[in-house]
């Protein structure tokens, strides 16, 4: 098993704090990428219906030689399948593509508030959880107002909220909300995805100080904040580099310097309006 620290979700299920994402990895490349990740020590894999690579991801896990219970698998429901019946059908289809009889974590990919179906969708997720076909259920890209509505109208608190989170968009409000309500925070696009984070003078200076890569500095920052993080790469050397972040620590001065990179700029859509 990997030496990656574990995070305990609000229902007692544990997951690795650092996992591997496959966003924008074509299905035919996902098999090799996930195989490389598992060989490098990752034990958490994050996919989604939208990514169209559940088949390749599932085959790589099946062929890895690892026991199914040793790999934490997350997938997500896309916006076109919101609503109870559509969500249940979409979940069955995801299991079929993955070649699995359960997932460890199932997420609503976006609240899509204009559809006004995420409460009904969450009630379907509660059924899936009760049936044991997902060990935990959560959300992605939900804002406090969406989470407040789930709390008022449903019975299961999301185990996790996966959100865009990187040094340019540090999401203090959502991280604080999650900590208060027992909802783990997971970062997508943790390295900023081309918005200059890895070239920033502060990040590169810290990389020199610690004799690490800029990506390792940013991933270490996430871990020390308590975020679950899922970097993505298809390059074996970078896949290995991204999990090699447990042999050093950022000090308080380093963390303060990185906190100063906040600009509020997104690389992805605004959850308040996306997914109509």
């Amino acid at each position: 098993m990997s030496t990656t620290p574990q995070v305990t979700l609000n229902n007692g299920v544990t997951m690795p704090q650092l996992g591997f994402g496959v966003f924008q990895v074509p299905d035919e490349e996902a098999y090799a990428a996930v195989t490389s990740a598992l060989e490098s020590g990752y034990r958490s894999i994050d996919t989604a219906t939208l990514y169209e690579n559940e088949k390749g991801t599932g085959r790589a896990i099946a062929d890895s030689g690892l026991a199914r219970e040793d790999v934490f698998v997350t997938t997500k429901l896309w916006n076109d399948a919101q609503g109870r019946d559509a969500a249940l059908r979409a979940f069955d289809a995801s299991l079929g593509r993955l070649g699995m009889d359960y997932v460890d974590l199932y997420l609503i990919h976006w609240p899509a508030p204009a559809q006004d179906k995420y409460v009904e969708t969450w009630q379907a997720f509660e059924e899936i959880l009760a049936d044991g076909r997902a060990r935990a259920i959560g959300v992605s890209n939900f804002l406090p107002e969406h989470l407040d509505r789930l709390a008022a109208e449903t019975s299961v608190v999301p185990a996790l909220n996966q959100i865009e989170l990187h040094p340019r968009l540090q999401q203090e409000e959502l991280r604080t909300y999650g900590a208060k309500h027992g909802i783990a925070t997971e970062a997508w696009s943790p390295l900023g995805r081309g918005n200059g984070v890895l070239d920033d003078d502060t990040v590169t200076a810290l990389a020199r100080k610690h004799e690490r890569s800029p990506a390792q500095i940013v991933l270490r920052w996430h871990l020390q904040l308590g975020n679950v993080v899922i970097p993505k790469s298809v390059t074996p050397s970078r896949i290995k580099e991204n999990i090699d972040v447990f042999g050093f620590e950022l000090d308080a001065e380093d963390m303060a310097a990185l906190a100063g990179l906040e600009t509020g700029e997104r690389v992805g859509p605004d959850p308040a309006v996306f997914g109509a």
Side-chain angles (χ1 to χ4, degrees):
M1 284 296 292
S2 167
T3 56
T4 301
Q6 301 287 307
V7 170
T8 301
L9 303 176
N10 60 20
N11 66 346
V13 169
T14 60
M15 69 179 296
Q17 191 181 2
L18 191 151
F20 183 72
V22 293
F23 176 60
Q24 293 183 327
V25 179
D27 197 55
E28 61 271 17
E29 295 178 30
Y31 182 89
V34 172
T35 296
S36 179
L38 295 172
E39 289 173 349
S40 298
Y42 293 82
R43 292 296 180 267
S44 176
I45 308 295
D46 179 276
T47 183
T49 297
L50 175 69
Y51 305 166
E52 297 183 345
N53 56 22
E54 290 171 312
K55 286 185 178 179
T57 296
R59 283 196 304 111
I61 294 167
D63 291 350
S64 68
L66 295 165
R68 170 65 188 89
E69 60 267 23
D70 288 342
V71 183
F72 191 97
V73 178
T74 301
T75 194
K76 311 179 197 76
L77 176 94
W78 187 237
N79 300 336
D80 61 3
Q82 291 249 16
R84 179 187 178 275
D85 293 345
L88 294 175
R89 287 193 300 270
F91 180 70
D92 287 341
S94 280
L95 286 186
R97 288 187 293 268
L98 286 164
M100 297 174 182
D101 55 12
Y102 73 95
V103 295
D104 297 279
L105 180 61
Y106 194 42
L107 305 179
I108 302 178
H109 208 149
W110 292 86
Q115 292 190 35
D116 194 25
K117 292 182 179 178
Y118 64 84
V119 172
E120 180 187 338
T121 301
W122 186 249
Q123 290 166 341
F125 274 47
E126 291 178 325
E127 294 180 45
I128 291 166
L129 179 69
D131 290 342
R133 297 194 300 152
R135 296 176 63 227
I137 54 175
V139 295
S140 185
N141 301 299
F142 273 49
L143 299 173
E145 59 260 36
H146 308 135
L147 295 165
D148 284 342
R149 189 169 170 206
L150 288 186
E153 299 183 35
T154 67
S155 57
V156 176
V157 176
L160 176 146
N161 188 15
Q162 183 184 116
I163 56 176
E164 180 182 345
L165 204 169
H166 45 74
R168 301 269 192 240
L169 185 71
Q170 300 188 17
Q171 298 275 27
E172 184 175 0
E173 180 187 12
L174 270 170
R175 288 190 287 115
T176 299
Y177 184 106
K180 180 180 177 182
H181 293 89
I183 303 170
T185 296
E186 183 172 41
W188 66 257
S189 197
L191 303 176
R193 208 170 74 199
N195 72 350
V197 167
L198 299 184
D199 298 321
D200 186 273
D201 290 345
T202 297
V203 175
T204 56
L206 289 174
R208 290 191 297 273
K209 172 182 174 179
H210 291 279
E211 298 183 330
R212 296 284 180 153
S213 73
Q216 288 173 317
I217 294 297
V218 175
L219 292 172
R220 184 69 211 175
W221 170 79
H222 279 286
L223 295 172
Q224 289 182 214
L225 285 179
N227 301 333
V228 180
V229 64
I230 44 169
K232 163 247 175 175
S233 179
V234 294
T235 307
S237 60
R238 287 185 181 165
I239 290 171
K240 291 186 178 71
E241 177 185 281
N242 287 344
I243 200 173
D244 183 20
V245 289
F246 302 108
F248 74 105
E249 191 160 331
L250 302 173
D251 61 30
E253 184 178 330
D254 300 336
M255 294 294 286
L258 291 166
L261 300 184
E262 172 73 58
T263 64
E265 65 183 281
R266 295 182 178 275
V267 299
D270 181 350
V273 297
F274 182 72

